[in-house]
Amino acid sequence: DYELCDEWGHLYPVPREDLINLHREHLLHLLEMGDMEKASQLLQRIEDPGICLAISEQSLDQHPNLAASHFLADYLTAHFYASLTTARRNEIQALYIGSKVLLTLPELSRVNYFHLSSRPLLMLEQLLMNMKVDWVAVAVQTLHQLLAGQEIGFTVEDINNLLSKYAEKALNFPFTLKEKRS
């Protein structure tokens, strides 16, 4: 159906907004099906960069599944980095990094943290509060690799401060130890 609509659009004038909606829905369908190759081909076939940017951004704003969000964040960063505002660029990069961190978690647990995919530091804090120390170790290692040379609103220093804060809380005893008197 999408291909038929696309052909129809080549034969007759279609309003820009309708064309964007058609391609957005087609792209989201391909991404939900897990067909990243066809999704990439679809985006490459779109000649107008403004339409391609609008489709990609609107698709990302629809909060698709993890793999689709990762694909779209990567695509937008790779192809439209200069066209994005600094705030939007940071938001997309944070989503890319957050989705990358989510992919390091066990598959069955990803759904519990998906809502935090655009906020990697908050996801890390949630993992710490849930005592998922092994997962935190892998997440921190991934974050350190991804943050090298990136600017997305937080730094390696922020991660270290968060880890220090929770390490301090882990050692904080709510009672005083009594001395034994001989």
Side-chain angles (χ1 to χ4, degrees), residues 102 105-113 135:
L102 265 176
L105 301 180
E107 193 169 343
L108 296 174
S109 300
R110 291 176 189 163
V111 70
N112 298 329
Y113 300 96
W135 298 357

Side-chain angles (χ1 to χ4, degrees), residues 131-147:
M131 307 284 285
K132 305 294 184 186
V133 180
D134 295 340
W135 298 357
V136 169
V138 175
V140 167
Q141 184 179 17
T142 302
L143 284 170
H144 279 278
Q145 291 170 355
L146 292 171
L147 286 176

Side-chain angles (χ1 to χ4, degrees), residues 42 44 48 51 59 76 98 114 138 142 153 158 162 165 178:
L42 170 67
Q44 288 173 358
D48 184 347
I51 289 178
S59 297
L76 282 164
F114 181 73
V138 175
T142 302
D158 295 325
L162 183 68
K165 175 181 159 185
K178 294 182 181 178

Side-chain angles (χ1 to χ4, degrees), residues 116-162:
L116 299 172
S117 59
S118 62
R119 308 208 33 219
L121 266 183
L122 194 56
M123 184 188 319
L124 188 62
E125 188 168 4
Q126 188 70 47
L127 288 169
L128 285 166
M129 287 191 294
N130 290 341
M131 307 284 285
K132 305 294 184 186
V133 180
D134 295 340
W135 298 357
V136 169
V138 175
V140 167
Q141 184 179 17
T142 302
L143 284 170
H144 279 278
Q145 291 170 355
L146 292 171
L147 286 176
Q150 298 265 350
E151 189 173 318
I152 61 163
F154 68 93
T155 62
V156 172
E157 179 80 20
D158 295 325
I159 294 169
N160 292 341
N161 290 339
L162 183 68

Side-chain angles (χ1 to χ4, degrees), residues 14-64:
V14 177
R16 185 177 194 272
E17 204 55 44
D18 291 340
L19 195 59
I20 288 172
N21 290 338
L22 166 71
H23 287 308
R24 183 191 66 235
E25 292 304 317
H26 189 191
L27 179 63
L28 286 170
H29 170 74
L30 291 172
L31 292 172
E32 291 296 324
M33 300 299 292
D35 198 342
M36 305 304 174
E37 187 175 325
K38 281 190 179 177
S40 184
Q41 290 170 0
L42 170 67
L43 290 170
Q44 288 173 358
R45 280 196 317 262
I46 299 169
E47 295 171 4
D48 184 347
I51 289 178
C52 192
L53 174 61
I55 291 164
S56 302
E57 278 195 290
Q58 287 179 19
S59 297
L60 186 63
D61 291 340
Q62 298 248 331
H63 305 290

